[in-house]
């Protein structure tokens, strides 16, 4: 039996940028004043180089949010949830962004880049003013479409490999 595993992750899927833009736009509709900033938070990695690569990929996806022209700032951060020494620094950066962009009648929209839910972000942001739908990427049918497409590509690869054996 042959098995195929996709090396394409959510960070490599351009459709995820559209999901982030749609979530940000939906939250901005209640205001749409142009005073909103968006913060996209991901889990992160303990390895500094890997984390930097993930942030770079996520920042490319964030261009979909930037291109809407609705927001005065769009940033990405990772919480580095499982690495206490790195998490402390990340938390400070995240809190600084939310505090700074919520001043002077500003609003901060926080988008989790995770499959489901809001994870530990609610506790990290406790006491701060921000908007979030608290939903991860799975709330969008685009994720289902991406999973289906990736699975179909893997099945085709598997069929091709089996036909040449």
């Amino acid at each position: 039996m042959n098995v195929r595993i996709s090396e394409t992750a959510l960070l490599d899927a351009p459709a995820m940028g559209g999901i982030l833009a749609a979530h940000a736009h939906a939250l901005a509709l209640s205001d749409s004043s142009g005073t909103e900033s968006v913060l996209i938070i991901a889990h992160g990695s303990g390895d500094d180089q890997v984390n930097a690569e993930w942030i770079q990929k996520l920042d490319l996806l964030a261009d979909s949010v930037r291109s809407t022209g609705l927001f005065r700032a769009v940033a990405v951060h990772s919480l580095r949830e499982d690495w206490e020494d790195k998490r402390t620094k990340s938390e400070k950066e995240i809190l600084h962004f939310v505090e700074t962009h919520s001043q002077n009648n500003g609003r901060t929209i926080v988008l989790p880049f995770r499959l489901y839910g809001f994870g530990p972000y609610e506790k990290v942001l406790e006491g701060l003013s921000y908007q979030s739908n608290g939903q991860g990427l799975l709330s969008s049918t685009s994720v289902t479409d991406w999973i289906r497409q990736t699975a179909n590509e893997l099945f085709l690869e598997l069929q091709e490999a089996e036909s040449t054996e």
Side-chain angles (χ1 to χ4, degrees), residues 10-75:
L10 290 172
L11 282 171
D12 301 314
M16 298 313 121
I19 293 169
L20 292 170
H23 284 195
H25 185 260
L27 288 164
L29 286 178
S30 63
D31 185 278
S32 297
S33 64
T35 61
E36 294 148 323
S37 296
V38 176
L39 175 62
I40 303 167
I41 307 176
H43 182 281
S45 172
D47 181 285
D48 292 340
Q49 183 176 343
V50 171
N51 195 69
E53 290 169 4
W54 288 359
I55 291 294
Q56 184 178 19
K57 288 181 177 186
L58 187 54
D59 197 54
L60 288 173
L61 293 176
D63 283 343
S64 294
V65 180
R66 289 182 189 101
S67 69
T68 66
L70 296 174
F71 307 104
R72 67 178 176 181
V74 178

Side-chain angles (χ1 to χ4, degrees), residues 34-135:
T35 61
E36 294 148 323
S37 296
V38 176
L39 175 62
I40 303 167
I41 307 176
H43 182 281
S45 172
D47 181 285
D48 292 340
Q49 183 176 343
V50 171
N51 195 69
E53 290 169 4
W54 288 359
I55 291 294
Q56 184 178 19
K57 288 181 177 186
L58 187 54
D59 197 54
L60 288 173
L61 293 176
D63 283 343
S64 294
V65 180
R66 289 182 189 101
S67 69
T68 66
L70 296 174
F71 307 104
R72 67 178 176 181
V74 178
V76 300
H77 283 282
S78 63
L79 181 56
R80 302 183 88 172
E81 298 172 25
D82 299 322
W83 302 274
E84 190 173 329
D85 57 326
K86 296 174 191 246
R87 179 179 174 146
T88 300
K89 181 179 181 231
S90 294
E91 279 188 19
K92 287 179 184 176
E93 292 169 351
I94 289 166
L95 294 173
H96 178 74
F97 183 92
V98 175
E99 289 169 345
T100 300
H101 290 271
S102 297
Q103 295 174 356
N104 301 320
N105 296 319
R107 281 188 352 139
T108 302
I109 295 171
V110 178
L111 302 175
F113 192 82
R114 51 190 315 119
L115 284 175
Y116 179 77
F118 204 54
Y121 309 145
E122 184 174 4
K123 184 172 181 174
V124 170
L125 298 169
E126 189 173 2
L128 296 179
S129 177
Y130 67 93
Q131 299 292 315
S132 182
N133 63 10
Q135 298 178 353

